[in-house]
């Protein structure tokens, strides 16, 4: 496949994230592994509490330690390890990358943007730190990025404050800020969640244009499979702090393997169906105050078997050509493994 010829931008192997709380240790991310190649748009999908945002905040070192404890077997960006010898994050290396080669668009622009500072002040800070350029050149670059994301009269409006922009415009400002240093990897953490459908479509189209024009690799985090279908080339489905299914987008939709992914797809309303109520997945996400030694989806799965309680299901290929993998005992049973 052509994708496999491209160089790996980010490689993660056995990433763990734990939080020490008054009630005990929360095992938020449980040994996830994946790699992302140059120019890809990869979607991470799952319901709230599945570990989507935490896993990406963890690998960028954006979680307070303590209470968080983050370690991995391997974490490489463009072949360079971002870990200490003990397997913990190397904060010195991460500080050089954050906002520079790796940027993040956060969920809510109204809380991510400082309401007391102008857009100009907030946009110039990171680029002047990383690039060591003059304020005049930084200003020109900021105007260029605001124009790129579709903000008219950028040289005037850069002096506005966050409250003077609409929700969709604030999100565009966040994207422009993330692009200030021309990052190789852009992490978009539910960038369309608080926006109406029309603005959602515009933001998705904008990210696709950025990917095509700048060849920026994008991780797109969402809880909505409908949104992810329109932007990503590859999907990772997370549940209970683990990746339970992954593969090429078309293959995930055409040959859905994990019962959780099937439940997410079934919950999407369809125009050709006449229903009074949407389909739901009964039950609640797993209790992560203890280490699970069985399938995390067991209690909610309508197809559960006794073998599902015999350890964590292996993460195996269902389709090697489309990189389709699944962690489910049902698939083991069907294939005699």
């Amino acid at each position: 496949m052509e994708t496999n010829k491209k160089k790996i931008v980010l490689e993660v192997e056995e990433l763990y994230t734990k939080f020490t709380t008054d009630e005990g240790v929360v095992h938020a991310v449980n040994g996830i592994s994946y790699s992302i190649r140059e120019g890809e748009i990869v979607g991470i999908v799952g319901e709230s509490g599945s570990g989507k945002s935490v896993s990406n905040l963890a690998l960028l070192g954006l979680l307070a330690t303590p209470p968080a404890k983050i370690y991995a077997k391997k974490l490489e960006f463009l072949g360079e390890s971002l870990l200490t010898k003990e397997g913990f994050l190397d904060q010195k290396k991460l500080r050089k990358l954050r906002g520079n080669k790796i940027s993040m668009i956060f969920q809510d622009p109204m809380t991510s943007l400082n309401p007391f500072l102008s857009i100009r002040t907030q946009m110039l800070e990171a680029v002047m730190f990383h690039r060591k350029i003059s304020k005049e050149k930084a200003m020109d670059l900021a105007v260029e990025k605001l124009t790129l994301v579709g903000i008219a009269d950028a040289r005037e409006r850069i002096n506005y404050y966050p409250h003077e922009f609409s929700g969709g415009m604030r999100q565009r400002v966040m994207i422009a800020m993330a692009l200030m240093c021309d990052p190789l990897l852009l992490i978009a953490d539910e960038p369309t969640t608080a926006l109406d459908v029309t603005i959602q479509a515009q933001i998705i189209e904008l990210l696709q244009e950025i990917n095509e024009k700048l060849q920026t690799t994008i991780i797109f985090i969402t809880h909505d499979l409908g949104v992810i279908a329109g932007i990503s080339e590859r999907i990772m489905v997370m549940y209970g702090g683990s990746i339970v299914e992954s593969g090429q987008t078309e293959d995930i939709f055409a040959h859905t393997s994990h019962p959780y992914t099937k439940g997410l797809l079934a919950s999407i309303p369809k125009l050709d169906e006449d229903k009074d109520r949407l389909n739901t997945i009964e039950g609640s996400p797993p209790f992560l105050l203890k280490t699970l030694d069985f399938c995390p989806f067991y209690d909610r799965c309508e197809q559960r078997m006794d073998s599902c309680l015999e350890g964590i299901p292996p993460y195996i290929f269902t389709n090697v050509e489309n990189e389709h993998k699944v962690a489910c005992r049902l698939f083991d049973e069907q294939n005699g493994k």
Side-chain angles (χ1 to χ4, degrees), residues 8 15 23 29 71-72 76 80 104 108-109 137 140-141 163 180 191 200 207 218 263 294 302 304 328 335:
I8 293 176
L15 173 68
E23 297 181 12
V29 181
Y71 56 98
E76 289 185 356
E80 180 181 1
M104 191 165 188
D108 185 356
K137 289 185 177 180
D140 291 339
L141 183 60
H163 71 273
M180 282 293 286
Q200 279 187 12
L207 290 173
I218 298 175
F294 56 90
E302 296 179 354
R304 58 180 177 263
C328 182
N335 288 271

Side-chain angles (χ1 to χ4, degrees), residues 216-280:
T216 307
T217 303
I218 298 175
I219 298 176
F220 192 96
I221 303 169
T222 182
H223 61 272
D224 190 337
L225 269 172
V227 170
I228 215 74
I231 187 172
S232 68
E233 304 165 34
R234 194 154 54 91
I235 293 175
M236 292 186 288
V237 182
M238 288 195 68
Y239 184 79
S242 302
I243 298 174
V244 296
E245 187 167 5
S246 66
Q248 298 297 314
T249 301
E250 290 184 4
D251 200 54
I252 291 287
F253 278 82
H255 307 288
T256 314
S257 298
H258 200 281
Y260 177 61
T261 313
K262 292 178 180 178
L264 291 178
L265 283 173
S267 67
I268 300 174
K270 298 175 179 61
L271 293 175
D272 58 350
E273 290 182 351
D274 185 16
K275 288 186 175 181
D276 295 329
R277 297 178 63 86
L278 296 176
N279 294 322
T280 61

Side-chain angles (χ1 to χ4, degrees), residues 60-301:
L60 288 181
L62 293 175
L63 298 174
T65 52
K69 184 178 181 181
I70 306 160
Y71 56 98
K73 183 177 180 181
K74 185 178 185 180
L75 175 58
E76 289 185 356
F77 180 73
L78 295 177
E80 180 181 1
S81 177
L82 303 180
L83 299 173
T84 63
K85 293 181 180 179
E86 294 76 23
F88 296 97
L89 300 179
D90 188 327
Q91 292 291 345
K92 187 176 181 180
K93 288 183 178 179
L94 284 170
R95 277 194 293 271
K96 292 181 180 179
L97 291 174
R98 281 194 306 254
N100 186 18
K101 298 300 182 184
I102 307 175
S103 287
M104 191 165 188
I105 305 168
F106 296 96
Q107 285 188 33
D108 185 356
M110 198 58 209
T111 56
S112 299
L113 293 171
N114 190 324
F116 297 102
L117 299 178
S118 68
I119 299 302
R120 172 181 176 170
T121 301
Q122 297 180 66
M123 289 192 70
L124 268 55
E125 182 180 17
V127 71
M128 291 183 67
F129 174 79
H130 288 294
R131 296 282 183 87
K132 307 298 182 184
I133 61 177
S134 67
K135 185 173 289 187
E136 291 74 19
K137 289 185 177 180
M139 178 67 173
D140 291 339
L141 183 60
V143 171
E144 176 188 326
K145 297 303 181 184
L146 287 174
T147 303
L148 176 67
V149 299
I151 294 181
D153 301 320
R155 191 165 291 276
E156 177 186 348
R157 300 182 76 185
I158 194 172
N159 296 305
Y160 287 12
Y161 286 80
H163 71 273
E164 296 180 273
F165 289 88
S166 66
M169 287 294 107
R170 283 195 293 266
Q171 194 60 279
R172 288 173 184 268
V173 169
M174 287 293 298
I175 295 172
M177 288 177 65
L179 295 175
M180 282 293 286
C181 292
D182 297 321
L184 298 175
L185 176 62
L186 181 62
I187 301 173
D189 186 8
E190 301 197 34
T192 61
T193 297
L195 307 176
D196 62 53
V197 177
T198 303
I199 304 301
Q200 279 187 12
Q202 292 175 2
I203 295 299
I204 290 173
E205 184 179 354
L206 174 60
L207 290 173
Q208 288 174 318
E209 289 177 3
I210 290 167
N211 171 255
E212 292 171 5
K213 290 180 180 178
L214 307 178
Q215 284 300 298
T216 307
T217 303
I218 298 175
I219 298 176
F220 192 96
I221 303 169
T222 182
H223 61 272
D224 190 337
L225 269 172
V227 170
I228 215 74
I231 187 172
S232 68
E233 304 165 34
R234 194 154 54 91
I235 293 175
M236 292 186 288
V237 182
M238 288 195 68
Y239 184 79
S242 302
I243 298 174
V244 296
E245 187 167 5
S246 66
Q248 298 297 314
T249 301
E250 290 184 4
D251 200 54
I252 291 287
F253 278 82
H255 307 288
T256 314
S257 298
H258 200 281
Y260 177 61
T261 313
K262 292 178 180 178
L264 291 178
L265 283 173
S267 67
I268 300 174
K270 298 175 179 61
L271 293 175
D272 58 350
E273 290 182 351
D274 185 16
K275 288 186 175 181
D276 295 329
R277 297 178 63 86
L278 296 176
N279 294 322
T280 61
I281 302 174
E282 297 297 330
S284 302
F287 192 60
L288 295 177
L289 279 174
K290 57 183 179 180
T291 304
L292 297 178
D293 55 2
F294 56 90
C295 175
F297 193 59
Y298 177 81
D299 292 333
R300 305 175 73 184
C301 184

